Amino acid sequence: MNAYVALIQREFLEHRGAFLWSAGILLALVFIAGLMVLRFDATVADLDRHDREELVEKLGEEGRDVDGLEALVAMGLDAAGSTDGELDRKMQVFMAIIAMPFHWIFIAIAFFGLVACMYDERKDQSVLWWKSMPVSDTATVLSKWAFICLCAPVITTIAVWIAQLYSLTVTMAFVEDGMGGRLWGASGVFTYPFRMLFGYFVYSLWVLPVAAWVMFVATAVPKVPILWAFGLPWSFIVLEGILFESSHLARAIAQHMNPISLPFTDPESYTTIGLFAEPSMWGGLVVGAGLIFGTIWFRGRNNAI
Amino acid sequence: MSVLQAQGLVKQFGDVRALDGVDINVERGRIVGLIGPNGSGKTTALQAILGLQQIDSGDISVMGYNPWAERAAMMTQVAYIADTGILPKWMKVRDLLSYVEGVHPNFDRKLAEDRLSRTQVRLDKKVNVLSKGMNVQLHLAIILAIGAEFLVLDEPTLGLDILYRQQFYDGVLNDYFTQERSILVTTHEVREIEHILTDVVLIHQGRVRLATSMEEIASRFAKVVCTSDQPLPGTPLFSRQGINGHEHIFSGHDPKQLELLGDVSVPNLAELFMALVGGDQQEVLA
């Protein structure tokens, strides 16, 4: 078996709990929300568009969340009354609303995963075991990055796709007869996972300086890596603000955290290949590569804590 | 042929010189004990030999590899068991074997599973539920299935009861060691392993105090428990009052002369270490 396959499998075994459970829990929530909406259906489906809008307003006044499926229901989709462009826009918002919770939970888990994959092996002394195998530090570090930034998004993408398919199926209960096909077509649900996977691939490069920073800190510091990972940039941001009254660092970090290449992002800023024309992409890759090199360097030197 | 050649190893940690010109040589087919108290530099030396620690100066060659620059390649022929449970606790035994099978070109999975089937280690168990003894059994099963030419053991039986300790060394001797393979071992339990050693390196305060074969020790050093009032034939390396009389350790003296003083025997390694570096080491080597 190829050693890299074994390394990726190892990472999957270590992190599968977090990624699979989080996706599973979110899917369960979507499923429950769907059931609730279907119960809602009996009341809402009979309402005309005007009544639905009134219902949304009423729900909003009561302080109830009208995002997501409720918004869709309340919005009525009104497929027949929408132009193709309007329907596309509505459906993209709908798809984005479903995808985004999965993405942000993924980001949170990926962050802790990047810390844990480099720090825990030193903490539990298993680094000595891993280093007793004929695997270089370079292969180890790259496999850890590759799993979390390239492979784990596949889990998120599949979960998002299931959630979108389920939600669209539920939505069929609310659309006018004969409009189902137009709705599915406007959603782009069958190309969504491919756009999302490609988006994640580009995003893994876009966010590289941030991901590599987290790995670097987790490998280099003797303890509390999360505090260092947040604290050090935060200190520099504050220092920059005080000394230069500017916020370049904060903006650079926020810019590279922005999921600009993912299909659920703001259509105004959504881009994939276009990101490679950004100097910031190449600058980030250089910084990220430097931090990955630093991570490899420290892993060779730092053993058990 | 040498599997390990380390010459002039120097490593400084701040003000502490952990290694101060250490030379260690391990020939093929030998079992070498690296013996020393805590802080003597033996762990630093082992880490340097395994490519886990960069030395300040000196040369190391393990199976022809530079451990620091070529650790990954070197570990195809070198195996290592450390003093603490270092196997990843979150992994199942089966997954651990799959991982080793994936990354190690010489790993014989069937051999490992056969050996484990004769223990209480089950393939579907996670490492964290295994006792320390079972952890060592698992680690040993993997090492034996790798069939490395050079095995490095760093306090491998620390914390194990006497039964597991005995099983461990029996396994190493009977199932691993051949004339084509070599072992470098450190342990506090010197008496437990000295009968299996072919060579010994005594290290203290970062310096090698003695590096020789057990045969050489037997022919060069003698321990005498005095039972007569005969004058000593020279200055002993070490003297102390024992239960049965004055004990002296001599180096390079005529055995016939020593026999006139009393009972002559070969000093054990702990006694030899005390003789060479001072009596204060008695506790750590006992």
Side-chain angles (χ1 to χ4, degrees):
Chain A
M1 195 188 350
N2 186 291
Y4 276 94
V5 174
L7 288 171
I8 293 292
Q9 278 181 347
R10 191 213 88 103
E11 294 307 315
F12 173 71
L13 291 171
E14 186 172 7
H15 299 290
R16 64 180 167 183
F19 287 110
L20 290 175
W21 272 105
S22 62
I25 288 169
L26 280 173
L27 273 176
L29 291 175
V30 170
F31 181 73
I32 291 166
L35 290 180
M36 289 169 67
V37 167
L38 283 174
R39 278 193 65 193
F40 198 45
D41 166 35
T43 321
V44 177
D46 295 334
L47 300 176
D48 62 20
R49 185 181 181 188
H50 177 73
D51 292 337
R52 291 180 194 187
E53 285 171 357
E54 277 189 353
L55 180 63
V56 168
E57 203 174 322
K58 186 163 171 279
L59 288 171
E61 283 171 2
E62 287 174 4
R64 289 180 58 183
D65 181 15
V66 290
D67 280 344
L69 289 173
E70 285 189 0
L72 177 81
V73 170
M75 196 161 62
L77 280 176
D78 195 15
S82 300
T83 64
D84 285 347
E86 286 170 345
L87 192 61
D88 283 353
R89 200 167 54 252
K90 283 178 182 176
M91 288 312 296
Q92 288 315 304
V93 169
F94 177 53
M95 303 297 267
I97 286 169
I98 296 166
M100 272 200 281
F102 287 87
H103 171 73
W104 290 115
I105 292 291
F106 163 75
I107 289 293
I109 290 171
F111 171 82
F112 287 107
L114 288 167
V115 173
C117 73
M118 299 310 306
Y119 184 73
D120 288 358
E121 63 172 17
R122 291 196 290 141
K123 195 177 172 188
D124 68 8
Q125 305 202 336
S126 63
V127 66
L128 294 173
W129 157 257
W130 303 118
K131 286 186 176 185
S132 75
M133 291 288 113
V135 180
S136 67
D137 295 315
T138 303
T140 302
V141 170
L142 290 181
S143 70
K144 287 172 184 294
W145 173 81
F147 174 75
I148 292 180
C149 294
L150 296 177
C151 301
V154 176
I155 298 171
T156 306
T157 302
I158 292 171
V160 165
W161 197 49
I162 293 169
Q164 288 175 334
L165 287 173
Y166 171 74
S167 303
L168 276 170
T169 306
V170 169
T171 306
M172 289 303 105
F174 306 99
V175 296
E176 296 86 345
D177 289 343
M179 292 308 298
R182 198 176 161 209
L183 204 66
W184 281 82
S187 71
V189 71
F190 293 109
T191 58
Y192 208 91
F194 301 103
R195 285 185 283 145
M196 200 159 160
L197 277 179
F198 185 64
Y200 266 122
F201 171 71
V202 177
Y203 184 60
S204 69
L205 302 177
W206 180 238
V207 80
L208 180 66
V210 179
W213 164 252
V214 174
M215 293 179 80
F216 175 80
V217 168
T219 315
V221 302
K223 52 175 72 171
V224 288
I226 292 173
L227 197 64
W228 280 96
F230 278 116
L232 210 55
W234 184 253
S235 305
F236 281 119
I237 286 169
V238 170
L239 208 61
E240 185 195 340
I242 293 170
L243 293 179
F244 306 106
E245 296 182 347
S246 62
S247 57
H248 296 298
L249 181 59
R251 269 188 282 158
I253 293 171
Q255 183 189 22
H256 280 272
M257 289 291 288
N258 186 6
I260 195 167
S261 63
L262 287 157
F264 50 77
T265 201
D266 177 8
E268 298 294 320
S269 56
Y270 171 59
T271 179
T272 50
I273 298 293
L275 270 180
F276 290 97
E278 295 278 338
S280 180
M281 171 65 122
W282 296 103
L285 287 176
V286 170
V287 171
L291 288 167
I292 290 285
F293 178 80
T295 305
I296 294 166
W297 191 89
F298 270 112
R299 191 183 187 267
R301 283 154 180 80
N302 289 350
N303 295 312
I305 297 170
Chain B
M1 181 192 167
S2 290
V3 293
L4 163 65
Q5 284 180 302
Q7 289 171 337
L9 304 188
V10 174
K11 181 67 186 179
Q12 187 97 15
F13 294 108
D15 296 336
V16 179
R17 206 167 181 83
L19 299 177
D20 190 7
V22 168
D23 297 341
I24 303 173
N25 196 51
V26 177
E27 298 287 330
R28 192 176 293 278
R30 309 294 285 182
I31 303 176
V32 179
L34 182 60
I35 311 295
N38 286 335
S40 60
K42 59 183 191 300
T43 298
T44 306
L46 281 191
Q47 289 194 336
I49 289 164
L50 290 164
L52 301 171
Q53 185 78 251
Q54 191 174 24
I55 51 172
D56 298 333
S57 64
D59 295 310
I60 313 177
S61 171
V62 179
M63 310 291 299
Y65 292 102
N66 175 340
W68 181 249
E70 301 170 293
R71 179 176 54 77
M74 179 186 81
M75 295 314 291
T76 58
Q77 295 174 53
V78 178
Y80 167 57
I81 297 182
D83 61 344
T84 50
I86 58 168
L87 297 177
K89 294 171 180 57
W90 52 269
M91 246 178 164
K92 284 186 178 175
V93 174
R94 180 178 287 111
D95 296 330
L96 196 59
L97 298 184
S98 297
Y99 173 79
V100 182
E101 189 179 23
V103 299
H104 207 299
N106 303 330
F107 181 66
D108 183 340
R109 183 175 186 142
K110 190 172 181 312
L111 202 63
E113 288 183 345
D114 283 349
R115 188 175 180 86
L116 288 175
S117 69
R118 299 196 296 273
T119 71
Q120 292 176 304
V121 179
R122 296 288 162 259
L123 297 181
D124 59 346
K125 293 291 181 193
K126 278 192 175 178
V127 172
N128 65 356
V129 303
L130 303 180
S131 68
K132 184 162 174 54
M134 286 191 274
N135 249 281
V136 174
Q137 284 179 325
L138 171 58
H139 205 155
L140 186 59
I142 292 171
I143 296 302
L144 294 175
I146 285 172
E149 290 180 48
F150 182 33
L151 176 59
V152 178
L153 304 171
D154 183 7
E155 302 276 6
T157 57
L158 197 68
L160 293 186
D161 62 36
I162 191 159
L163 188 65
Y164 275 118
R165 291 207 298 265
Q166 194 58 47
Q167 282 178 353
F168 177 83
Y169 286 115
D170 284 350
V172 168
L173 276 183
N174 299 329
D175 300 332
Y176 172 77
F177 187 65
T178 67
Q179 288 307 305
E180 296 302 310
R181 292 174 173 171
S182 314
I183 300 173
L184 178 62
V185 54
T186 72
T187 179
H188 278 74
E189 305 286 344
V190 181
R191 285 173 188 151
E192 197 171 80
I193 62 157
E194 63 180 314
H195 67 286
I196 68 169
L197 298 180
T198 61
D199 301 83
V200 64
V201 176
L202 299 184
I203 185 170
H204 183 54
Q205 294 178 343
R207 291 184 182 173
V208 172
R209 301 308 169 104
L210 180 72
T212 189
S213 67
M214 295 301 279
E215 294 93 335
E216 171 73 12
I217 286 176
S219 64
R220 182 175 152 195
F221 296 97
K223 173 186 165 186
V224 182
V225 180
C226 288
T227 55
S228 78
D229 294 332
Q230 290 277 338
L232 298 179
T235 307
L237 287 174
F238 177 71
S239 299
R240 70 176 175 185
Q241 179 63 48
I243 296 170
N244 299 318
H246 265 93
E247 297 174 359
H248 305 286
I249 294 177
F250 290 93
S251 171
H253 282 73
D254 183 359
K256 287 181 179 168
Q257 275 189 316
L258 297 178
E259 281 168 4
L260 297 173
L261 295 172
D263 298 329
V264 180
S265 61
V266 177
N268 64 42
L269 289 177
E271 291 168 333
L272 192 55
F273 194 92
M274 283 190 286
L276 292 169
V277 304
D280 59 324
Q281 302 307 320
Q282 185 169 9
E283 285 182 12
V284 291
L285 286 166

